[in-house]
């Protein structure tokens, strides 16, 4: 360690003002603070003393995503092995296949997104922020495993540049960059981002598939059901509740497992990074609306309405979105009351989009992004109400 | 009743006049600096649209369209005056805005002062004219055109109010010099429109 530290001290003058490599200062700074604790303090008049700086915060988020990532490796491989008729797939083999899917997507995300991040940092002379590590890890996890790599590169470029860097970088964006990237891809290349063909890594021309292979996600199965009983239809398609909960189902690479997301949620809440208010709000909102829909269901031909609320939690991206996307401290509401409202509205919207909008059986990412756009408004009204309340108390 | 409700939801969320048709951009961009002003202008637009859309409906159905009652009474059933629609609706809208201006000046002077120059600008807000033209094109009846006018105004108001709040947050952002002001607002409007696409498949 001493050796590396000495090396850094030796080359440092080159990167300081007037040095020959002055333009690459952000790169140097990023590498150094990645390996060592930075000795920099905040500039300007205001200071906050806290152990939790962005680097630690982002590292904790990365740690919390690890269970989801491992589950992503396993499930992506497992789905392929099952689809090609392997009876008892070994865990290691499945994880090997999953890793072969995840890492190319992850690396292309790091390269493409990192390029823009570094470019903006050098030109605009701000630091390269660890926030990008979180964005680049979350982004591949919410993609379908069959996505072409160039599309992932285009998506993350849009997310980083338009979603974040034009606003000034980490902490100054309005919408979550990873979600912006995903939703951009969703509307730009719908055939690669939705439907029944994209969720399991098989090539129907080359691979020998099992009989009755469909590749549909549980939400697609539920949305396609025209009879009265959605739960029976799900069970018939092989999606029992425990399978949905553990995440052994087709879907985006890393968002299928509610269990892994739950572990992540415990870590994030325990270390105090993600807001439990937002998470509870999401669950509350979804519960209330889906229960209300259950009462409407007998009068309608739409079978999605009759889906019990606890099924919504384990299908599609609900769990992943609630834990890792909705709680993003930058793009979510910042006031405590605001977080409740924000969370509840996400829960309400996601169930509405899933049940009422036939075009998109999965609504979590869209719902969160929409509420990202409304979060400043929620905060504004909460702050105004606070000011009014205080004024009233002061005059009494 | 349900029919009118779905029409309202459709014109507020699914076919938001600003975020799906990009009408009414100028006052949206110019007047979204403060949330209070945005709420005021939004309310004014809702009010104006609720009146002008059915007023235009009367104009179209009584005077302009082929076989309109007034033309029949004048015994010219072959005449089709709908090519005068643009002029007629603009006149109706301008007159209504004048009326609203006088009304606000007398009864809500604070709001009148806050809106300032932007109130007369409603007269040239293309969203208001757009609503009148869509109403004609889609062949709404009187009740539908009232609901359509009001809910389109609400959709516009919702968009401008949320934009005003976003701009409040953007004050703390570090935007590249070339994009400051209007540039970032247009990018943000595009992103806002993208987030609203989550409603785009809903059939009502």
């Amino acid at each position: 360690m001493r050796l590396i530290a000495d090396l850094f001290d030796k080359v440092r003058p080159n990167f300081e003002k007037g040095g020959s490599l002055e333009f690459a200062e952000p790169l140097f700074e990023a590498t150094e603070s990645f390996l060592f604790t930075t000795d920099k303090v905040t500039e300007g008049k205001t200071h906050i003393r806290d152990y939790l700086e962005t680097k630690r915060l982002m590292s904790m988020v990365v740690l919390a995503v690890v269970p989801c990532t491992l589950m992503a490796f396993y499930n992506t491989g497992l789905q392929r092995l099952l689809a090609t008729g392997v009876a008892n797939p070994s865990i290691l083999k499945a994880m090997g296949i999953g890793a072969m899917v995840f890492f190319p997507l992850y690396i292309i995300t790091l390269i493409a997104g990192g390029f823009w991040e570094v470019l903006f940092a050098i030109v605009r002379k701000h630091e390269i922020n660890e926030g990008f590590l979180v964005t680049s890890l979350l982004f591949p996890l919410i993609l379908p495993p069959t996505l072409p790599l160039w599309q992932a590169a285009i998506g993350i470029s849009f997310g980083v540049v338009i979603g974040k860097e034009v606003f000034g970088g980490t902490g100054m964006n309005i919408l979550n960059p990873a979600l912006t990237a995903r939703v951009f891809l969703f509307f730009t290349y719908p055939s690669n981002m939705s439907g029944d063909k994209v969720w399991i890594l098989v090539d129907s021309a080359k691979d020998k598939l099992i009989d009755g292979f469909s590749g549909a996600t549980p939400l697609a199965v539920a949305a396609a059901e025209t009879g009265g009983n959605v739960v029976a239809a799900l069970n018939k398609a092989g999606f029992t509740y425990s399978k949905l909960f553990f995440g052994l189902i087709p879907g985006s690479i890393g968002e299928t497992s509610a269990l892994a997301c739950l572990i992540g949620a415990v870590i994030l809440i325990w270390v105090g990074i993600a807001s439990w208010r937002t998470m509870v709000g999401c669950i509350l909102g979804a519960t209330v609306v889906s229960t209300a829909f259950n009462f409407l269901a007998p009068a309608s031909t739409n079978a999605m309405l009759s889906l019990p609320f606890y099924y919504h939690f384990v299908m599609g991206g609900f769990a992943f979105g609630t834990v890792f996307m909705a709680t993003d401290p930058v793009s979510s509401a910042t006031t405590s009351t605001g977080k409740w409202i924000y969370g509840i509205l996400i829960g309400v919207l996601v169930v509405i989009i899933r049940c009422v909008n036939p075009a998109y059986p999965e609504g979590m990412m869209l719902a969160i992004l929409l509420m990202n756009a409304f979060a400043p408004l929620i905060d504004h009204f909460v702050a105004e109400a606070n000011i009014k309340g205080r004024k009233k108390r002061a005059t009494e | 009743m349900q029919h009118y409700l779905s029409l309202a939801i459709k014109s507020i969320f699914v076919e938001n006049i600003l975020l799906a048709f990009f009408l009414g951009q100028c006052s949206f961009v110019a007047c979204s600096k403060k949330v209070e002003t945005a709420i005021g202008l939004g309310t004014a637009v809702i009010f104006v649209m609720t009146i002008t859309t059915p007023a235009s409906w009367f104009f179209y159905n009584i005077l302009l369209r082929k076989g309109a009652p007034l033309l029949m009474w004048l015994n010219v059933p072959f005449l089709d005056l709908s090519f005068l629609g643009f002029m007629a609706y603009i006149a109706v809208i301008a007159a209504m805005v004048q009326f609203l201006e006088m009304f606000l000046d007398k009864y809500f002077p604070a709001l009148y002062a806050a809106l300032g120059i932007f109130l007369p600008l409603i007269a040239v807000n293309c969203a208001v004219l757009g609503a009148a033209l869509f109403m004609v094109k889609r062949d709404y009846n009187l009740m539908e055109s009232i609901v359509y006018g009001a809910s389109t105004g609400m959709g516009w108001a919702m968009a401008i109010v949320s934009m005003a709040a976003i701009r409040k947050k953007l004050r703390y952002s570090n935007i590249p010099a070339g994009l400051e002001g209007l540039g970032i607002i247009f990018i943000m409007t595009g992103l806002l429109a993208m987030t609203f696409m989550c409603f785009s498949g809903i059939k009502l």
Side-chain angles (χ1 to χ4, degrees):
Chain A
M1 255 0 233
R2 193 66 248 158
L3 210 70
I4 306 173
D6 283 345
L7 183 69
F8 269 109
D9 286 337
K10 213 165 126 194
V11 297
R12 187 188 314 278
N14 291 329
F15 292 98
E16 274 163 2
K17 225 179 162 77
S20 57
L21 293 168
E22 187 192 336
F23 69 92
E25 201 272 335
L27 264 178
F28 174 79
E29 202 275 336
T31 326
E32 194 192 10
S33 65
F34 183 72
L35 293 167
F36 300 101
T37 309
T38 172
D39 54 355
K40 274 195 178 163
V41 291
T42 35
E43 292 157 21
K45 285 173 192 145
T46 44
H47 289 272
I48 297 173
R49 270 175 177 276
D50 197 343
Y51 291 111
L52 190 70
E53 19 95 47
T54 8
K55 186 176 154 188
R56 288 207 179 97
L57 186 145
M58 298 301 181
S59 312
M60 284 320 286
V61 179
V62 170
L63 199 70
V65 186
V66 167
C68 280
T69 318
L70 291 177
M71 205 55 212
F73 290 176
Y74 176 55
N75 185 49
T76 311
L78 180 76
Q79 292 303 323
R80 183 193 150 79
L81 290 174
L82 287 178
T84 47
V86 179
N88 282 315
S90 77
I91 292 184
L92 266 181
K93 199 172 172 200
M95 289 195 81
I97 296 175
M100 291 295 285
V101 175
F102 175 79
F103 279 111
L105 278 174
Y106 183 50
I107 290 167
I108 198 85
T109 307
L110 279 179
I111 293 174
F115 167 74
W116 293 110
E117 189 86 20
V118 170
L119 184 70
F120 270 86
I122 288 175
V123 173
R124 305 207 58 214
K125 305 202 184 348
H126 67 66
E127 289 168 14
I128 298 172
N129 197 289
E130 292 81 3
F132 177 65
L133 284 181
V134 174
T135 307
S136 60
L137 181 59
L138 290 180
F139 180 63
L141 290 177
I142 51 176
L143 294 175
T146 55
L147 192 80
L149 293 181
W150 62 272
Q151 288 185 3
I154 290 181
I156 194 68
S157 300
F158 184 86
V160 167
V161 176
I162 304 293
K164 189 174 75 174
E165 287 300 333
V166 295
F167 296 102
T170 303
M172 296 170 182
N173 44 312
I174 305 291
L175 304 176
N176 184 317
L179 274 185
T180 313
R182 192 203 197 264
V183 171
F184 173 75
L185 281 181
F186 182 79
F187 288 122
T188 318
Y189 306 108
S191 59
N192 291 100
M193 291 294 286
S194 51
D196 292 348
K197 298 256 183 297
V198 302
W199 305 110
I200 299 179
L201 185 80
V202 286
D203 187 346
S204 51
K206 281 189 209 147
D207 293 320
K208 208 170 139 293
L209 301 178
I210 51 164
D211 294 340
F213 170 77
S214 85
T217 62
L219 274 168
V221 170
E225 172 63 16
T226 46
N229 202 336
V230 193
V231 177
L234 281 173
N235 282 329
K236 204 177 142 219
F239 301 129
T240 56
Y241 194 79
S242 67
K243 249 189 178 176
L244 292 170
F245 180 73
F246 289 114
L248 308 175
I249 47 171
S252 296
I253 295 175
E255 66 176 24
T256 52
S257 173
L259 177 71
C261 296
L262 206 62
I263 299 171
V266 171
I267 297 175
L268 286 182
I269 293 176
W270 178 53
V271 296
I273 291 172
S275 158
W276 58 271
R277 291 185 180 89
T278 313
M279 296 192 202
V280 175
C282 282
I283 291 170
L284 206 68
T287 309
V288 170
V289 176
S290 48
T291 313
F293 276 169
N294 287 348
F295 286 111
L296 290 173
S300 162
T301 52
N302 185 348
M304 267 306 272
L305 294 182
S306 65
L307 192 71
F309 66 88
Y310 47 88
Y311 269 86
H312 275 291
F313 302 155
V314 293
M315 287 161 80
F318 186 91
F320 194 86
T322 305
V323 175
F324 298 111
M325 294 296 186
T327 54
D328 170 12
V330 179
S331 57
S332 85
T334 45
T335 51
S336 295
T337 322
K339 278 177 179 151
W340 277 111
I341 303 171
Y342 168 82
I344 289 173
L345 284 176
I346 288 177
V348 168
L349 259 169
V350 66
V351 176
I352 290 181
I353 295 175
R354 277 179 179 182
C355 296
V356 181
N357 193 341
Y360 315 132
E362 164 60 303
M364 194 59 190
M365 303 299 163
L366 298 168
I368 298 174
L369 202 67
L370 183 71
M371 288 322 294
N372 278 175
F374 278 98
L377 186 64
I378 297 172
D379 277 341
H380 173 84
F381 282 129
V382 170
E384 290 292 303
N386 260 346
I387 292 168
K388 255 185 209 154
R390 287 193 168 199
K391 258 188 192 153
K392 205 176 154 210
R393 280 200 298 279
T395 48
E396 262 166 16
Chain B
M1 191 59 217
Q2 207 187 354
H3 171 66
Y4 295 120
L5 194 67
S6 28
L7 179 65
I9 290 173
K10 196 169 138 192
S11 29
I12 295 176
F13 295 106
V14 186
E15 294 175 358
N16 189 298
I17 192 107
L18 196 123
L19 297 170
F21 290 106
F22 292 99
L23 290 173
Q25 286 275 339
C26 6
S27 32
F28 171 77
V29 169
C31 223
S32 56
K33 287 197 188 88
K34 275 185 76 186
V35 178
E36 283 71 29
T37 326
I39 292 175
L41 187 67
T43 323
V45 167
I46 297 175
F47 189 61
V48 168
M49 275 179 143
T50 317
I51 299 169
T52 55
T53 316
S56 308
W57 184 89
F58 272 114
F59 242 84
Y60 175 72
N61 279 295
I62 292 176
L63 182 63
L64 298 178
R65 76 178 161 87
K66 198 175 180 194
L70 211 62
L71 296 179
M72 293 303 266
W73 180 70
L74 288 171
N75 209 9
V76 278
F78 52 86
L79 204 57
D80 182 2
L81 289 179
S82 48
F83 67 91
L84 289 175
F86 279 98
M87 260 170 62
Y89 309 141
I90 288 177
V92 170
I93 292 163
M96 285 299 165
V97 171
Q98 283 298 313
F99 163 73
L100 184 70
E101 211 181 332
M102 288 185 274
F103 178 80
L104 288 184
D105 194 9
K106 179 138 173 82
Y107 294 102
F108 302 98
L111 181 60
Y112 179 77
L115 291 175
I117 183 68
F118 296 111
L119 190 60
L121 276 182
I122 293 182
V124 288
N125 186 333
C126 36
V128 183
L129 179 64
L133 292 171
F134 276 130
M135 175 272 300
V136 171
K137 198 168 171 230
R138 294 173 186 170
D139 226 357
Y140 286 142
N141 63 30
L142 178 60
M143 194 59 209
E144 278 170 342
S145 69
I146 295 174
V147 172
Y148 178 71
S151 49
T152 305
M154 280 176 213
W156 193 89
M158 183 178 69
I160 191 175
V161 171
S162 67
M163 190 59 182
I166 289 174
R167 282 179 86 160
K168 192 179 164 191
K169 196 174 167 183
L170 279 183
R171 262 180 248 157
Y172 305 100
S173 295
N174 175 20
I175 297 156
L179 282 176
E180 256 170 41
L182 287 185
I184 198 73
I185 302 305
F186 277 111
I187 289 179
M188 199 55 232
T189 313
L191 287 173
L192 206 58
M194 192 172 86
T195 66
F196 260 72
M197 278 174 80
C198 68
F199 298 110
S200 61
I202 296 178
K203 301 250 182 319
L204 288 166

